[in-house]
Each structure stands twice: as C-alpha cells, then as structure tokens.
C-alpha cells in the first residue's frame, strides 16, 4: 500500500552546483534527463535542448505546451546566433476586429480564448534549430516526450501547486478543451499522482514524422483552424502556413569586463541591458551583496529600464526609437544620474531619440551552449486545447494594445511585445554562461540580480540563484521574498520602497537555470545550477 506522504517540507534545502562536461538544466528532472539521453547518443547541445523542450510541454503544462512560443540564443562553437520564434497575429486581427467583438472601450485583446492566440512558434523553433545545428534525427529527439506522454508521469510538488491554483480560475475552466484535458478527474492531479497525455503523444508523433510541418500545414493545422472557425476564432491554415521563425543577431551590453546578450525587441530582454548599463556607473562591489544600498541601486536601475521598455519597445518596425538608441552609453549615463541613493523614485520614460514560462539550457563537451525559453504566457495560456491533439495554445495576443497610437498596436502578421527572454554571457568574444530566469516581468529582473551577484560579488551560480530576490511592479511598489533579511526589508522601506513580503517564489520571483563554462569544455567542462523554486535539476555527465 502506498504511503500517504506529506510533501510540504518544513526544512530549508540547499542545492549544490553540478560539475560536468555535458549538462542540461531545467525545471523538471525528466526533461533534463531526456536531454542527457540525446547527448549520450552522440547528439549535441541543440539536440539535447529540443528533446528537453518537448518533454517540458508535458511535465509542466501550467507553463508551456505544444502551442507555445519560444526564443533561443546559442553558441555554435564559433559565434552567437539568436532565434525569435514568437507568434504573429492572424490576418484578421485589427483594432476594429476586437472593438467590434468586445466593445469600443476595449484596451487589449482578451486574456483567454481564441482571440488571445497568435500563431504558435515553439514547434517551428525546434525544427529550425534541428535543421541548422542538430546532429540526430528529428524523430529521435521527440522519442522521450512521446514515451512520457503515453506512459504518463507522476506530478511533482511545485507544478501541482500551480495546476491546482489554475483549476480554480473560472476563465480557464470555461475554455474549449481545457477541463477535459487538464482536470481528468474533475480536479487537478495530486502530488505523486499519475498523469497521462495520449492526445499530446499523437501530436508529437505527427510533428516528429513531418519535422513540424503537420503543425503548420498538415493535419494538425487543419484541426486547429477548423476548431477556431467553429468556436469564433480568427486563426486560419493560411496564418499557420505563412509562419517562419526569424534568425536574429543578439544585442548586448558590456558590464564589468563581460558582455550580456539578449534577443532584440519585440522582447523585453533589452530591459536587463539598460539596467546593467545604468549600474555600470556605481561601485556595487564596495557595498556588499545583500546590503540595502546595493539592492536599492538595482531596483532603481530596473525601474528606469522598465519605464523606457514599456514606452518604446514593440515589433522593431513599429518602434519610434531603436535598440541602439536605448543602449547608447551617453543616454544610459544620463539615466544613471536620475538615481538618488537616498530615496526611491517613480520614474517616467526618458528620451533616447534625443540622447505560466519554462527555461532550459544545455552545453556539450565540444563547446556548444544553448539558452532556450518557451512559454504559454499566463498560466495554461489561452486555455484553449485543440481537440484530439493535446495542443494547449498560448495567449500572447493579449500582449497587444488596441490603442492606435501605441507602437504595440495590433495589426495583421505583427508580433506582440513579449516577456520571455533567454540570456547569454561572453567575455572577450568567447562564451561564458547560458542562463535564464523565467516569470513574466521578473525575467530581466532575475537576469540582472543573479548576474550582479556573480560578477560584482563573486557568488557561484547556484548561490546567486538561491539568494533572495525582489520584484519591481510599478510606481514605488516591490515584492520581496520571505527569506530576505528583515533588516534589508526595513532599510528599503526607509528609503521609500513600498513592499509586500510574499511566500510564493514560483511565479513572483522567477526560476533560473545556469551553465557557466569553466575552461576547455572537453577538460574542465561546466558548472551548472538549477533553481530550488521549481521541481527541476541540473544533470550532467
């Protein structure tokens, strides 16, 4: 008889760094191990990343699915490459389309349902990465995911918590296909309970056999478009068939002798670069890693970055300023002068023209390193699941504006402002670290906080990952983790920060995965870290 365990741990656990020549880090052990299977079979880090990503769509469905979007930065052994696989709006989407359906006062597309779904990009990202850089057959990369979908897996602690919370959200439960798929017993699965996903196995087999083409022009595309038409959605087979992910050059910012790289807009990665460019003008190392002063400066720099990002960042063709203008050294120096070390401020945007997500990383002993992120956006995304195929669709369309004067206004074929961002660190043009911290607008904040701990204060990746975090919201308000030193919390309050201490680390403070190159990958290998705020691990050999 199975023992009825209490899975709430009343004790503090400490993770240790993982050292290996081949390593995968993500937020579920089964996914990390799927990646290792590819590496032991002779595949490279790209093969490992794809296998890991496919499994993640099953084992963390609250955060991503086969209908996700994705981004990637990878080092191929010689140079960096970026891939933007965020989805585009259906051809029918205009401000008028939404205002006719939801009223003239509507400010954005809805949070849930078909009218929040842009063309999903994750499957196209897998296919593009495999075609350009992979070594193993595409079908083999999806084999672990197909096996897990068919046989099922036991639901872990953190995923179950979020799954159960989602089951209480009315606008999810009412969406087509969501409850029958994710509440198989009219409730969320419990911790330690088996969950099978045979419909997703069917989709994965079709995707594997066609290298993703079934999703964008074959039987899956037809089923998706047919269901959309029957349920009031606008996405069509033509929208799916027209989709291509875009290879892009990452943008970067120098900091303490290193260079942080992010995917350029339409994503928010530039926020981390702006904040680092501002912090270059302060001697953080002299203040102490957990000092009130160091935390205050980082918070204020992040506020300044978000003020500009929310004002200016959208699809590049729609932006009134360029990423280069936002990162201009003279402009960032001016922004740094806006910070008062003695008080918190509510900043507006500057004038640069004048002056539910999962993350994974993989690295191999030949030197290839992959930073990859995919997401359904909000928990379980749109809530729509394609009948018979187990494809849960993202709700990235909600990121558009219906304001005709906004750079982020919806338009046919346009990509919305995106929150998910992979990161990559180099030094003197050579790879150092692939990493990411997931969680809505926490992502650039997590990139900043963990990197500052490593580069300014010498903390190892696992310690930098484990350390307590803050999260800026808006105005003067921030959230802080319950484990933060009460004296630091009080000190930040004395500077004018309005704080709420939160216990929920999963969503509010993000979760990261890190792989740092130690030297020759074939000799010294890497040191890796995985965030204790989720169920995952760094696994290597």
């Amino acid at each position: 008889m199975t023992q009825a365990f209490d899975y709430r741990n009343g004790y503090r656990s400490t993770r240790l760094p993982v050292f290996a020549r081949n390593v995968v880090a993500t937020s579920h052990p089964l996914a990390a191990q799927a990646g290792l299977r590819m590496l032991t079979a002779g595949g490279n880090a790209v093969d490992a990343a794809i296998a890991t990503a496919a499994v993640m769509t099953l084992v963390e469905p609250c955060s991503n699915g086969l209908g996700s979007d994705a981004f990637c930065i990878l080092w191929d052994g010689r140079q960096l490459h970026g891939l933007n696989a965020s989805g585009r709006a259906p051809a029918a989407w205009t401000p008028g389309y939404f205002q006719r359906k939801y009223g003239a006062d509507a400010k954005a597309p809805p949070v849930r349902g078909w009218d929040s779904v842009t063309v999903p990009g994750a499957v196209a990202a897998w296919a593009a990465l495999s075609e350009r850089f992979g070594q193993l057959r595409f079908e083999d990369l999806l084999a672990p995911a197909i096996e897990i979908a068919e046989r099922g897996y036991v639901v872990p602690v953190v995923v179950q918590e979020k799954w159960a919370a989602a089951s209480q959200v009315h606008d999810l439960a009412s969406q087509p296909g969501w409850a029958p798929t994710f509440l198989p017993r009219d409730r969320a699965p419990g911790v330690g309970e088996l969950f099978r996903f045979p419909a997703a196995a069917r989709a994965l087999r079709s995707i594997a056999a066609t290298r993703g083409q079934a999703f964008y022009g074959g039987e899956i595309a037809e089923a998706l478009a047919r269901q959309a038409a029957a349920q009031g959605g606008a996405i069509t087979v033509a929208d799916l068939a027209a989709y291509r992910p875009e290879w892009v050059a990452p943008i970067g910012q120098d900091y303490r002798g290193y260079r942080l790289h992010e995917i350029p807009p339409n994503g928010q990665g530039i926020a981390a670069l702006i904040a680092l460019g501002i912090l270059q003008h302060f001697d953080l190392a002299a203040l102490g890693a957990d000092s009130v002063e160091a935390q205050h400066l980082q918070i204020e720099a992040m506020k300044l970055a978000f003020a500009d990002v929310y004002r200016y960042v959208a699809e590049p063709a729609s932006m009134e300023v360029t990423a280069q203008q936002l990162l201009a050294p003279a402009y960032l120096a001016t922004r740094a002068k806006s910070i008062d070390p003695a008080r918190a401020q509510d900043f507006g945007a500057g004038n640069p023209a004048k002056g539910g997500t999962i993350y994974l990383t993989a690295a191999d002993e030949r030197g290839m390193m992959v930073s990859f992120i995919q997401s359904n956006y909000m928990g379980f995304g749109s809530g729509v699941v394609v009948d018979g195929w187990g494809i849960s669709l993202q709700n990235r369309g909600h990121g558009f504006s219906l304001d005709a004067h906004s750079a982020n206004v919806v338009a046919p074929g346009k990509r919305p402002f995106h929150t998910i961002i992979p990161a990559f660190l180099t030094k003197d043009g050579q790879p150092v670290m692939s990493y990411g911290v997931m969680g809505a607008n926490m992502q650039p904040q997590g990139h900043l906080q963990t990197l500052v701990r490593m580069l300014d204060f010498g903390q190892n990746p696992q310690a930098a990952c484990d350390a307590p975090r803050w999260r800026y919201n808006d105005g003067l308000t921030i959230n802080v983790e319950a484990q933060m030193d009460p004296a630091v919390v009080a000190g930040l309050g004395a500077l004018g920060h309005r704080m709420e201490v939160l216990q929920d680390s999963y969503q509010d403070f993000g979760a990261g995965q890190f792989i740092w190159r130690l030297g020759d990958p074939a000799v010294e290998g890497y040191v890796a870290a995985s965030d204790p705020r989720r169920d995952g691990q760094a696994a290597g050999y």
Side-chain angles (χ1 to χ4, degrees):
M1 184 174 180
T2 302
Q3 172 67 33
F5 288 118
D6 181 354
Y7 286 99
R8 295 168 298 178
N9 189 349
Y11 306 103
R12 179 96 177 262
S13 295
T14 301
R15 293 189 180 182
L16 296 175
V18 171
F19 299 87
R21 294 186 181 92
N22 300 274
V23 64
V24 181
T26 194
S27 51
H28 197 290
L30 293 180
Q33 291 156 20
L36 284 188
R37 280 175 58 179
M38 300 304 110
L39 291 169
T40 59
N44 59 24
V46 162
D47 296 316
I50 296 167
T52 302
V55 171
M56 286 302 299
T57 66
L58 308 170
V59 297
E60 199 170 314
C62 45
S63 303
N64 74 138
L66 289 170
S68 287
D69 281 357
F71 293 87
C72 181
I73 302 177
L74 71 92
W75 177 266
D76 68 357
R78 299 178 303 279
Q79 66 182 92
L80 278 180
H81 304 268
L83 182 65
N84 181 334
S86 58
R88 296 184 180 274
W93 280 16
T94 64
Y97 170 89
F98 292 99
Q99 288 160 351
R100 285 190 296 272
K101 294 185 73 171
Y102 302 100
D105 294 333
K107 304 298 183 186
V111 175
R112 309 288 185 187
W114 279 105
D115 281 338
S116 68
V117 181
T118 57
V119 176
V123 169
W126 303 349
L129 287 166
S130 175
E131 180 178 356
R132 186 168 180 181
F133 295 107
Q135 291 184 321
L136 301 179
R137 296 191 316 155
F138 190 72
E139 299 94 313
D140 295 336
L141 305 183
L142 303 193
I146 293 168
E147 178 183 341
I148 288 169
E150 291 178 333
R151 295 184 60 182
Y153 63 92
V154 169
V155 175
V157 175
V158 178
V159 165
Q160 194 280 333
E161 176 188 342
K162 299 305 165 186
W163 203 325
S167 71
Q168 305 302 311
V169 178
H170 173 72
D171 66 351
L172 268 177
S174 63
Q175 297 306 321
W178 189 82
T181 301
F182 294 114
L183 306 180
R185 301 169 183 86
D186 296 323
R187 58 169 175 79
V191 175
E193 190 170 2
L194 188 71
F195 177 74
R196 290 189 175 94
F197 208 170
R202 179 189 178 201
L204 285 161
R205 288 188 183 281
S206 182
I207 291 166
T210 63
R211 296 185 63 85
Q213 287 305 307
F215 198 105
Y216 297 96
E219 56 184 350
I220 296 175
E222 291 167 1
L224 191 157
R226 186 166 54 247
Q227 185 171 331
Q231 296 171 346
I235 196 167
T236 66
V237 170
D239 292 321
L240 292 160
Y243 182 74
R244 301 290 186 278
E246 180 186 7
W247 292 102
V248 297
I251 56 176
Q253 172 65 48
D254 293 330
Y255 186 76
R256 313 301 193 219
Y258 293 81
R259 187 168 181 84
L260 177 64
H261 304 265
E262 302 273 359
I263 296 289
N266 55 316
Q268 65 173 339
I270 193 171
L273 304 182
I274 293 171
L276 282 177
I278 291 169
L279 286 175
Q280 284 193 112
H281 299 277
F282 299 90
D283 185 6
L284 293 184
L287 301 176
D290 294 293
S291 67
V292 173
E293 295 82 2
Q295 301 305 312
H296 170 69
L297 290 174
Q298 291 174 70
I299 293 167
E300 297 298 281
M302 202 72 246
K303 287 181 186 177
L304 285 162
F306 275 130
D308 282 351
V309 165
Y310 292 150
R311 168 66 179 82
Y312 295 113
V313 171
E315 180 81 291
S318 300
M319 289 171 59
E320 62 187 82
V321 299
T322 65
Q324 290 70 30
Q325 287 173 306
L326 286 166
L327 294 173
Y331 175 64
L332 295 180
T334 300
R335 295 295 266 167
K337 291 178 182 177
S338 303
I339 295 178
D340 185 342
R343 68 183 179 95
Q345 299 181 73
D346 183 1
F347 299 104
N351 187 354
K354 187 176 179 180
T357 300
I358 67 93
Y359 175 81
L360 65 94
T361 177
D364 63 42
E365 62 189 41
R366 288 159 287 189
M368 180 176 280
M369 301 176 71
V370 179
S371 181
F372 185 93
I373 195 162
Q374 66 186 20
S375 172
N376 270 0
Y377 192 21
M378 299 177 182
F380 284 100
S382 66
V384 176
V385 182
V386 181
D387 185 42
W389 294 97
I391 296 169
S392 60
L393 297 167
Q394 39 85 332
N395 60 335
R396 285 292 170 182
H398 179 63
F400 279 121
S401 171
L402 302 183
D403 179 356
H405 301 291
S406 170
N408 197 40
V409 64
V410 68
K414 187 175 180 179
R415 296 176 298 197
F417 176 80
H418 241 274
T419 58
I420 61 172
I421 51 173
F424 204 99
L425 190 71
T426 62
K427 184 177 178 63
D428 300 326
Q430 295 302 305
V432 173
M433 179 172 63
S434 53
Y435 81 111
V437 179
M438 46 224 150
N441 75 338
M442 183 63 211
Q443 294 183 56
Q445 303 187 59
H447 289 192
L448 175 77
Q449 292 176 64
T450 55
L451 194 62
V452 163
R453 287 184 175 277
M454 286 181 258
L455 301 189
D456 285 289
F457 302 110
Q459 294 184 348
N460 76 71
Q462 189 65 61
C465 178
D466 293 350
R469 296 179 189 146
W470 46 264
R471 170 175 170 155
Y472 166 67
N473 295 313
D474 54 41
L476 299 176
T477 64
I478 61 172
N479 298 335
V480 296
E481 282 191 290
Q483 70 185 84
M484 185 173 285
D485 184 344
V488 175
V489 175
L492 291 171
L495 294 177
H497 296 283
R498 298 173 185 167
M499 288 170 297
E500 182 180 4
V501 178
L502 297 180
Q503 295 285 347
D504 181 8
S505 294
Y506 172 96
Q507 179 63 36
D508 292 287
F509 302 101
Q513 313 293 331
F514 305 78
I515 298 178
W516 183 287
R517 178 170 163 163
L518 294 174
D520 184 341
V523 182
E524 293 89 358
Y526 308 89
V527 57
S530 184
D531 206 306
R533 296 167 182 83
R534 290 206 182 176
D535 300 298
Q537 67 175 182
Y541 74 93

